[in-house]
Amino acid sequence: METILNISNLSKTYQSAGRSLTVLDDINFAITAGSTNAIVGPSGSGKTTLLGLCAGLDRSSTGKVELNNINLGDLSEDQRAQVRNQFVGFIFQNFQLLPTLTALENVMVPLELRGEKNIKARATELLDKVGLADRGHHYPAQLSGGEQQRVSIARAFSNRPKLLFADEPTGNLDAETSEKVVKLLFDLNKEAGTTLILVTHDLDLAARTQRILRIKGGRLIADEKNN
Ligand SMILES: Nc1ncnc2c1ncn2[C@@H]1O[C@H](COP(=O)(O)OP(=O)(O)OP(=O)(O)O)[C@@H](O)[C@H]1O
Ligand SMILES: [Mg+2]
């Protein structure tokens, strides 16, 4: 089976107030293309940090990240941005929508960066999928938390990523909307073969993936297959 993400001896140490804090310590795993995976662990255990390193948003202190056989450590900031735009979708825990752009424009950004055509129609279609067809002209500040989360999901889908990282994708949603979003994620996996890596505190959601990686205190403490 093809590996789409290979993490070896990954560590991350932050320097703050003259002290160093190791938040990830010697993490190793490989993710199979087309698979569904969950990362679980207590608050502060390093999940968001790990996701950011895997997606090339940030650089590790030591170790290696290979995404689609590209060693991210060899790349400049700009080259990493290109790899992200080409292969990666990211749903942020805190959404990270651009405040000066409308919902529709936020979804259009990755499409514009790729120089695609008919981007307005495609972005409209994506907003419709997350139930926000009538909110396209709203700015992020004019949307509820759950609505912002859904815009960020539509944006992450827009470049048809090979790998989709989602940090607490249902954290701000009610049960019904949450189920719709989860279905969108798994449909994308089934229909487009998108590899999913979800961070979640929702153990029912984690149980629906093929594999659960457990992080505690910055270390990978378990790696379990679901049946
Ligand atoms: N830029 C930074 N500088 C210093 N410490 C940081 C920085 N970013 C994160 N940390 C620390 O790294 C640790 C891991 O943070 P991270 O956000 O990865 O946790 P998490 O597992 O995603 O938690 P949660 O479930 O609450 O989202 C935390 O203790 C946090 O305080
Ligand atoms: Mg987090």
Side-chain angles (χ1 to χ4, degrees):
M1 274 183 291
E2 190 196 339
T3 293
I4 186 136
L5 181 70
N6 195 23
I7 301 298
S8 36
N9 307 114
L10 197 73
S11 300
K12 180 75 179 177
T13 301
Y14 285 115
Q15 308 293 338
S16 67
R19 291 178 34 192
S20 68
L21 178 69
T22 297
V23 297
L24 290 175
D25 187 9
D26 196 23
I27 305 277
N28 294 278
F29 61 85
I31 299 287
T32 305
S35 63
T36 59
N37 310 269
I39 298 174
V40 302
S43 175
S45 57
K47 304 180 300 294
T48 295
T49 306
L50 178 60
L51 220 55
L53 294 178
C54 290
L57 289 162
D58 193 9
R59 293 184 81 122
S60 64
S61 303
T62 64
K64 196 154 83 171
V65 177
E66 285 168 298
L67 194 156
N68 209 32
N69 294 318
I70 303 165
N71 183 353
L72 298 184
D74 292 340
L75 307 183
S76 68
E77 192 90 23
D78 282 355
Q79 289 170 321
R80 269 190 287 132
Q82 264 180 26
V83 169
R84 286 202 303 275
N85 197 44
Q86 217 179 339
F87 303 112
V88 175
F90 204 102
I91 301 167
F92 294 91
Q93 192 167 15
N94 52 1
F95 324 132
Q96 303 246 8
L97 299 175
L98 296 166
T100 60
L101 300 184
T102 64
L104 186 68
E105 288 164 350
N106 266 283
V107 179
M108 284 163 64
V109 166
L111 296 167
E112 224 159 352
L113 284 171
R114 285 161 71 99
E116 289 196 15
K117 290 185 184 131
N118 302 322
I119 61 176
K120 197 164 178 182
R122 177 140 171 77
T124 304
E125 191 185 305
L126 284 159
L127 276 184
D128 189 32
K129 273 199 176 174
V130 295
L132 289 176
D134 58 345
R135 290 289 191 281
H137 58 288
H138 282 231
Y139 290 91
Q142 301 169 327
L143 296 168
S144 73
E147 287 170 345
Q148 290 179 50
Q149 186 145 37
R150 283 183 280 155
V151 174
S152 112
I153 289 166
R155 179 181 61 182
F157 282 13
S158 70
N159 60 349
R160 296 187 176 91
K162 268 193 145 181
L163 251 167
L164 182 66
F165 296 95
D167 199 349
E168 289 286 353
T170 57
N172 297 277
L173 306 178
D174 61 85
E176 195 183 328
T177 313
S178 166
E179 183 49 41
K180 273 190 198 152
V181 161
V182 167
K183 188 172 178 313
L184 279 174
L185 295 172
F186 284 99
D187 282 354
L188 198 69
N189 167 259
K190 258 196 232 109
E191 286 158 19
T194 304
T195 308
L196 294 184
I197 304 179
L198 317 173
V199 165
T200 186
H201 286 290
D202 177 349
L203 296 182
D204 290 331
L205 172 55
R208 288 162 73 171
T209 64
Q210 293 161 340
R211 181 178 176 193
I212 300 181
L213 299 163
R214 247 171 244 285
I215 306 283
K216 196 175 177 188
R219 302 193 70 116
L220 183 63
I221 57 159
D223 183 347
E224 300 150 8
K225 274 206 170 72
N226 279 325
N227 317 301

